[in-house]
Amino acid sequence: MLNLILTRCIKIQLLLVSTAFLLAVQTSANAEQPLPSLTPAQAQSLSRDLVPYNSQDFFRQGKDSIEREIQILRQRQLRSIKPVLKIDSAQQIKRPPTQQKP
């Protein structure tokens, strides 16, 4: 029984070591591949695609965002002008004046 457990442990260890070795070899092979060189036109195109180049678009989006916020605030302000509770003065019940303690 002990021999069976030891045999399985050794097999698992060998499998792990061989897997680690294969991964290390594959990683080093991938690391040795040279990066493709880019022509100046390709580099310019790549940088143009990665970095926003139109500052006018940036400021236009900011202005639009501010205008939307202003509209939202104005709508909230208009809503707050309206009374929350309407009181019908014809149905008000008059209470007798409260007595003050001597």
Side-chain angles (χ1 to χ4, degrees):
M1 181 77 169
L2 186 60
N3 281 339
L4 182 64
I5 293 173
L6 288 176
T7 306
R8 284 186 182 176
C9 287
I10 291 172
K11 287 181 181 180
I12 291 173
Q13 286 178 347
L14 287 175
L15 181 64
L16 288 174
V17 169
S18 62
T19 303
F21 179 74
L22 289 174
L23 286 175
V25 169
Q26 184 179 8
T27 304
S28 66
N30 289 341
E32 292 176 5
Q33 293 177 354
L35 295 174
S37 60
L38 300 175
T39 65
Q42 289 173 331
Q44 184 180 12
S45 175
L46 182 63
S47 67
R48 182 176 56 237
D49 292 340
L50 294 177
V51 179
Y53 61 92
N54 190 350
S55 60
Q56 295 299 322
D57 186 44
F58 172 78
F59 288 109
R60 182 188 53 76
Q61 288 176 358
K63 182 181 174 186
D64 292 343
S65 177
I66 288 174
E67 288 177 0
R68 279 193 304 271
E69 289 293 327
I70 291 172
Q71 287 176 354
I72 290 170
L73 291 173
R74 284 184 179 161
Q75 289 172 356
R76 286 182 186 166
Q77 187 179 19
L78 290 175
R79 279 189 233 139
S80 66
I81 292 174
K82 297 177 184 176
V84 177
L85 177 63
K86 293 182 181 181
I87 300 175
D88 188 6
S89 59
Q91 293 183 356
Q92 285 184 349
I93 300 172
K94 294 193 176 191
R95 292 184 179 177
T98 58
Q99 295 178 355
Q100 295 179 353
K101 293 184 180 180

